[in-house]
Amino acid sequence: GMIANFIITSGNLFSKETVILDNWVKGVRYPIGNSEQKDIRGNYSLVTASGKPSRMKISGEALSPEMYMYEDTLQVKAMAFSRNGDLVTFSFERKLEDPKGVVRYSGVLEEQGWSGNAQLADGNWTNWTMTFDSLITLTEKKDTTAKPLKDIGKISYPNMAYGWKELPKAGTVLIINATVWTNEAEGILTEADVLFSNGKIVQVGKDLVAPAGATVIDGTGKHLTAGIIDEHSHIAVSNSVNEGTQTSSAEVRIGDVLDADDINIYRQLAGGVTSSHLLHGSANAIGGQTQLIKLRWGQSPEELKFDGWPGFIKFALGENVKQANWGDLQTVRFPQTRMGVEQVYMDYFTRAEEYQQQQSRWTTTDASLKTNAVPPRKDLELDALSEILNSKRFITCHSYVQSEINMLMHVADSFGFEVNTFTHILEGFKVADKMKAHNVRGASTFSDWWAYKYEVYDAIPYNAAILHKVGVNVGYNSDDAEMARRLNQEAAKAVKYGGISEEDAWKFVTLNPAKMLRVDDKVGSIKAGKDADLVLWNDHPMSIYAKPLTTYVDGIAYYDSERDAQLREDIRKERARLVQQMNEVKLKGEAVRKPAAKPQILKHCLEEEYHTIH
């Protein structure tokens, strides 16, 4: 019942020697190669009117033969050889016969060979004949292709190390007698219980009764917290994070290129992270649309996406945007100055306002007037910027210098919107009062990074504490796949630098980022009705000795330390099994190949670091 489009080949479709014989399109045959043409392989004698006889051989596959000439004991392969039915053309470079150089032959098939004309290296022409002498001995070609292993192992989710044999499911769990960091008015509860079921926190209190079928976990001596939320991350993104050729790339979306198999998802679960805000890089003044994910290890890219989350977009200021460190040959794109960065915003938001007006006029115009009218062209880039103007999409902005922080707030005031989050913002302490007045929803900063480039020379580790005491919502982010696994220790630095209370410092990596991302009604604290994104720690969560025992996302234990220990042993055994299987193949004389390293890109705002996974 399908359309008769197909091809006919001389052999295995993926074999190097295979040629296409017929191409059929809607039942009509278009011959390409002739499977019925005469097999010409054999030994021949070539005689020209102007030279000595030469021994020839045609070998190889019947439908794609190769021609050789013998000059004394030297075997020379034809520079070109082509056959079309009974016609043949070939050429050889003659080194031992005058005139030396390339000789081109053309001829026609006869009963016992060919005959035709040849042009010598000096341009003269001569006649030639090639007579069949004998058949060649055809040997079966040895298959040197590497064979697949006889047992590739069991499929897992994802199908790699630390994957699941079966995807985990949510159940009913009661954790008892733990120290519970609620991040709510109740504060830190000792010897408390938390019940969660079907992905939601059901009850927080003491002496809770386990429902029938619930799993009860003794939390004595352990700490239970909300899952860590990384406001600024670049994990789980396929390939590069920058579209650096454009000043604005508002139309591109991280959500289209999620990499659900990134091992950093599992590693960060092992560090207590349950949600990550994935951003483009900082090459553009206006970057792309971001994606908040939950670290549901083993699920598909679409299933990583955080439900009910309002859209965000990445903006950037400073050295990266104006290409200060890109090298002389790369500074070819506008803007080149901090003034130019401001002008980009003014220009694009002016265009967005005009675009909105065009769209609005079209939707409100009398339908009778639209009969012959052409609707305004849809622009995905300006759609995203219009959403900012209408408070349907929110900005998280890469920033450092106080003058630029002020500049973007001024641009926002000019167009009637607010900057949701300033990320990095290492000079935020200089303008904390202005940020508070602008109603900035969050400052997502580093704990103690400074002096790694010119525009952060004034950074101080007390930045977060100063912003917090002024009343700005403050969080710590990673911008780094390795640091994200230790954000619990980053939170502790808020206690060291500025005397922030332990409870408030812990909010820097949990509740406060949830508020910045406008999902604090779902995550960030331990409260009945919220998502069961929880971490059970073996120690005080900000201790350098603290390790997650279990990390729950939607009430599902996506990381468990005991399972992790078993997985490591399983991986060791699987590696040994595969090595033994490869050794067996090698001993049998089958083709082998060296293992190929797979480089992994660990991404940051501007640069990308390449690491090799073996």
Side-chain angles (χ1 to χ4, degrees):
M2 305 293 285
I3 295 174
N5 291 350
F6 55 89
I7 60 173
I8 298 177
T9 66
S10 63
N12 187 310
L13 188 63
F14 301 101
S15 174
K16 183 172 66 173
E17 294 79 12
T18 295
V19 296
I20 298 176
L21 302 176
D22 289 346
N23 186 4
W24 289 72
V25 180
K26 293 186 176 180
V28 178
R29 180 189 181 194
Y30 295 90
I32 296 176
N34 185 2
S35 60
E36 299 174 358
Q37 66 185 4
K38 182 179 178 180
D39 187 350
I40 61 172
R41 292 176 295 178
N43 296 307
Y44 293 83
S45 296
L46 175 68
V47 179
T48 63
S50 59
K52 297 183 296 184
S54 299
R55 289 187 299 118
M56 309 292 290
K57 181 175 75 172
I58 300 177
S59 59
E61 297 295 321
L63 296 176
S64 56
E66 299 171 344
M67 177 179 277
Y68 297 91
M69 174 184 289
Y70 294 91
E71 289 193 328
D72 290 340
T73 59
L74 183 66
Q75 177 178 284
V76 180
K77 186 177 180 180
M79 298 175 61
F81 178 79
S82 175
R83 180 189 179 187
N84 186 3
D86 291 342
L87 302 178
V88 65
T89 60
F90 55 94
S91 58
F92 282 96
E93 183 180 7
R94 306 299 297 264
K95 297 181 179 180
L96 304 180
E97 182 178 303
D98 291 327
K100 295 181 176 63
V102 175
V103 181
R104 296 183 296 165
Y105 301 82
S106 62
V108 63
L109 178 65
E110 296 178 342
E111 187 66 26
Q112 291 296 320
W114 280 279
S115 65
N117 297 318
Q119 186 177 33
L120 305 177
D122 60 5
N124 291 321
W125 289 84
T126 184
N127 297 326
W128 64 271
T129 59
M130 195 167 77
T131 306
F132 177 79
D133 289 336
S134 62
L135 293 173
I136 61 172
T137 302
L138 298 176
T139 57
E140 185 175 347
K141 189 173 181 180
K142 185 177 180 181
D143 185 4
T144 59
T145 57
K147 302 292 191 304
L149 296 179
K150 58 186 177 182
D151 183 4
I152 61 173
K154 296 180 180 180
I155 299 296
S156 61
Y157 307 91
N159 196 27
M160 56 187 290
Y162 301 98
W164 298 93
K165 294 178 181 178
E166 292 183 5
L167 287 172
K169 298 178 181 178
T172 300
V173 178
L174 176 63
I175 299 175
I176 60 174
N177 297 327
T179 300
V180 179
W181 297 57
T182 67
N183 284 347
E184 295 288 340
E186 295 81 2
I188 301 173
L189 305 176
T190 58
E191 298 180 352
D193 309 336
V194 175
L195 173 67
F196 53 95
S197 180
N198 295 322
K200 297 291 183 180
I201 298 170
V202 177
Q203 198 173 358
V204 181
K206 294 192 177 184
D207 301 322
L208 301 183
V209 178
T215 300
V216 180
I217 298 174
D218 186 1
T220 303
K222 303 176 178 65
H223 293 248
L224 185 69
T225 72
I228 292 172
I229 301 170
D230 190 356
E231 188 278 333
H232 188 128
S233 176
H234 301 288
I235 68 165
V237 179
S238 177
N239 296 319
S240 182
V241 293
N242 273 308
E243 184 62 55
T245 58
Q246 297 179 202
T247 300
S248 167
S249 57
E251 72 278 13
V252 301
R253 304 180 298 189
I254 286 289
D256 293 335
V257 290
L258 293 179
D259 177 10
D261 294 349
D262 186 351
I263 190 62
N264 286 298
I265 295 175
Y266 183 77
R267 289 174 178 167
Q268 292 182 18
L269 283 165
V273 181
T274 54
S275 292
S276 294
H277 187 209
L278 309 184
L279 312 179
H280 291 86
S282 54
N284 321 77
I286 301 173
Q289 300 167 40
T290 67
Q291 182 63 53
L292 181 63
I293 66 169
K294 288 198 178 190
L295 304 190
R296 301 177 177 120
W297 177 241
Q299 301 287 357
S300 70
E302 284 299 312
E303 290 167 322
L304 296 184
K305 294 180 178 179
F306 198 111
D307 297 328
W309 165 72
F312 273 64
I313 189 169
K314 171 76 176 288
F315 276 27
L317 307 170
E319 292 183 19
N320 295 356
V321 180
K322 70 187 187 71
Q323 306 150 87
N325 306 310
W326 290 27
D328 293 339
L329 298 178
Q330 300 300 322
T331 50
V332 295
R333 189 205 71 191
F334 181 82
Q336 298 286 302
T337 65
R338 296 182 193 273
M339 295 177 291
V341 175
E342 179 178 9
Q343 193 60 48
V344 166
Y345 294 130
M346 297 299 294
D347 290 346
Y348 271 91
F349 280 113
T350 299
R351 287 178 57 198
E353 284 187 334
E354 294 171 350
Y355 175 76
Q356 279 194 137
Q357 292 169 5
Q358 293 172 354
Q359 298 289 332
S360 178
R361 283 196 297 270
W362 176 259
T363 56
T364 58
T365 301
D366 190 324
S368 63
L369 301 178
K370 296 182 181 180
T371 304
N372 298 315
V374 177
R377 181 179 180 181
K378 187 172 181 63
D379 189 313
L380 297 179
E381 182 179 34
L382 295 180
D383 276 341
L385 298 180
S386 296
E387 289 174 347
I388 297 172
L389 295 174
N390 296 321
S391 299
K392 294 181 179 178
R393 184 170 298 280
F394 304 97
I395 295 170
T396 180
C397 184
H398 166 111
S399 53
Y400 289 101
V401 178
Q402 63 166 328
S403 60
E404 292 190 310
I405 299 167
N406 283 331
M407 174 271 287
L408 188 58
M409 289 191 293
H410 173 69
V411 171
D413 290 339
S414 300
F415 289 92
F417 66 88
E418 296 171 352
V419 180
N420 189 92
T421 308
F422 282 102
T423 186
H424 304 332
I425 195 165
L426 293 183
E427 287 191 18
F429 66 94
K430 297 181 180 180
V431 290
D433 54 342
K434 294 184 174 63
M435 292 172 59
K436 178 68 175 175
H438 180 73
N439 199 32
V440 170
R441 195 174 181 92
S444 181
T445 187
F446 294 131
S447 59
D448 55 359
W449 290 21
W450 65 86
Y452 52 90
K453 58 180 176 177
Y454 184 80
E455 65 184 357
V456 294
Y457 277 15
D458 281 1
I460 59 174
Y462 302 94
N463 180 47
I466 293 171
L467 286 161
H468 174 73
K469 290 173 182 178
V470 171
V472 178
N473 179 41
V474 181
Y476 282 148
N477 68 70
S478 73
D479 192 16
D480 178 78
E482 286 298 304
M483 179 176 284
R485 299 193 293 137
R486 302 174 180 83
L487 279 172
N488 64 312
Q489 295 177 26
E490 293 296 292
K493 294 177 182 178
V495 180
K496 175 179 176 62
Y497 298 115
I500 304 298
S501 71
E502 289 187 359
E503 189 174 356
D504 283 344
W506 186 246
K507 292 177 182 178
F508 279 19
V509 294
T510 51
L511 183 60
N512 293 2
K515 291 178 178 178
M516 295 177 202
L517 294 164
R518 299 175 179 257
V519 291
D520 51 303
D521 61 328
K522 298 178 177 65
V523 292
S525 65
I526 301 178
K527 179 181 178 181
K530 283 195 170 186
D531 295 352
D533 291 6
L534 305 167
V535 185
L536 184 63
W537 303 81
N538 67 338
D539 204 335
H540 188 297
M542 289 185 286
S543 167
I544 61 172
Y545 301 107
K547 294 180 180 180
L549 298 174
T550 311
T551 302
Y552 297 92
V553 180
D554 301 321
I556 299 172
Y558 279 100
Y559 171 81
D560 181 82
S561 58
E562 292 184 2
R563 175 179 177 271
D564 180 78
Q566 182 59 52
L567 284 173
R568 291 170 187 267
E569 178 62 17
D570 292 345
I571 292 168
R572 184 192 67 77
K573 291 179 179 178
E574 178 66 2
R575 182 183 293 113
R577 184 187 72 82
L578 292 172
V579 169
Q580 286 300 312
Q581 200 169 332
M582 289 187 288
N583 283 334
E584 290 175 9
V585 169
K586 186 175 181 179
L587 289 173
K588 291 177 181 177
E590 296 185 26
V592 296
R593 65 181 181 184
K594 293 182 178 179
K598 178 183 177 183
Q600 182 188 22
I601 304 173
L602 295 185
K603 307 174 187 73
H604 302 273
C605 269
L606 178 63
E607 57 278 331
E608 295 170 345
E609 295 180 0
Y610 289 82
H611 296 261
T612 299
I613 296 177
H614 297 284

